[in-house]
Amino acid sequence: MEHISRPVRSDNALGVQTPSTLPTAAHRVLRNTYALLAMTLLFSAAVATLGIVFQAPAPGLIVMLVGSFGLLFAVHKLKNSGWALPAVFAFTGFMGYALGPVVARSLAMPGGAQVVTMALAATGATFLALSAWAVTSKRDFSFMSGFLFAGMVIAILAGLAAVFLEIPALSLAVSAMVALLSAGLILMDTSRIVNGGETNYVMATVGLYLSIFNLFSSLLSLFGIGGSDD
C-alpha cells in the first residue's frame, strides 16, 4: 500500500492574473488541470498495465520513497519552466510503475477483478461528485488545509508503523483514514482552483493526481481485505 505525501504549494505560478480577470483565469486553470490530469491518469494506467503484463517487481519502500519524493521535488522546482510537463509525466509514470504490482496482487486474489473494478468505480464516482460540488457551489474549503495536512502526516507515520510492525488492523485503519483524507483534499484542491487560490495548473494537476492515487490505493486495500474474508 503506497501513500504519498503532497507537494509543497506555491501561489507564485504560471498565468498569475489580476483580480479583474480572475474568473476567466480560474476557468482556464481548471480546464488545463483537468486536461493534464486526464492525460497523466491514462499514462499512469498504461505504465501500470505494462507492469502487470510483464510482471514487473515492486520497487520496494526505499526506492518508492526516494523516487516519489525526488520527482515531486523536481516538479516543484520546474513548475514554471518548459520542463514542467516532462517532470509531471516522469512522476506519474513512476507512480504507475509502483501501482502495477499492487494491482497485480489484487487481481491474483479470488474475485480480484471485481475488487479492482469496485475500487476504480468508487474512486471515479468520488472524484466526480466532489469536483462537481466544489465547482458548482464555489465554496472555499481552504479552512480544511491544516486538518488535512496533519491527518496525512499521521497517516504516513501510522502506515510506516503498520509495515514494519506487521499489524493488519492498523493497516486497515490507515487505509480508511487515507481514503477520507484524500476525498477532503480533492474537495479542497478543486475549490482552490475555482476561487483563484491555485493558479499553476501543473501543481494543481499533481495535487489532484496524488489524491486520486491515494484514494484508489486505499480503496483497493479496503475492498481487498473485505473480499479476502468472503
Side-chain angles (χ1 to χ4, degrees):
M1 177 177 59
E2 281 85 10
H3 303 306
I4 305 302
S5 64
R6 307 180 57 74
V8 177
R9 293 305 187 95
S10 172
D11 289 333
N12 181 17
L14 295 170
V16 176
Q17 302 292 322
T18 62
S20 62
T21 60
L22 189 57
T24 301
H27 180 269
R28 182 167 57 251
V29 172
L30 187 66
R31 182 189 62 217
N32 291 341
T33 297
Y34 282 166
L36 182 58
L37 181 63
M39 289 187 287
T40 54
L41 288 173
L42 289 174
F43 179 66
S44 190
V47 174
T49 301
L50 288 175
I52 295 171
V53 171
F54 292 103
Q55 299 180 345
L61 181 61
I62 301 300
V63 174
M64 182 67 188
L65 291 176
V66 173
S68 59
F69 282 105
L71 288 169
L72 273 176
F73 179 78
V75 171
H76 179 69
K77 283 295 183 181
L78 298 170
K79 67 181 183 292
N80 292 316
S81 75
W83 289 99
L85 293 182
V88 170
F89 279 99
F91 170 70
T92 55
F94 177 80
M95 298 301 290
Y97 159 69
L99 186 62
V102 178
V103 176
R105 286 197 298 270
S106 297
L107 290 173
M109 298 188 310
Q114 289 83 355
V115 169
V116 174
T117 300
M118 286 191 301
L120 281 172
T123 301
T126 301
F127 174 75
L128 291 175
L130 293 175
S131 296
W133 182 18
V135 171
T136 56
S137 69
K138 296 182 175 59
R139 290 182 58 186
D140 185 4
F141 292 96
S142 60
F143 65 90
M144 301 167 58
S145 61
F147 167 78
L148 293 173
F149 176 78
M152 194 60 75
V153 170
I154 294 172
I156 292 172
L157 295 176
L160 292 174
V163 171
F164 288 111
L165 300 177
E166 299 182 354
I167 306 175
L170 180 57
S171 179
L172 178 63
V174 170
S175 294
M177 183 178 182
V178 171
L180 291 173
L181 291 171
S182 298
L185 287 166
I186 290 172
L187 188 63
M188 185 190 72
D189 284 346
T190 306
S191 75
R192 278 173 50 84
I193 300 171
V194 171
N195 292 287
E198 179 59 89
T199 56
N200 186 310
Y201 74 91
V202 169
M203 297 306 296
T205 298
V206 171
L208 288 174
Y209 174 90
L210 279 173
S211 295
I212 293 171
F213 179 93
N214 287 334
L215 178 60
F216 172 71
S217 59
S218 298
L219 292 176
L220 194 63
S221 298
L222 290 171
F223 294 161
I225 292 173
S228 64
D229 295 334
D230 294 337

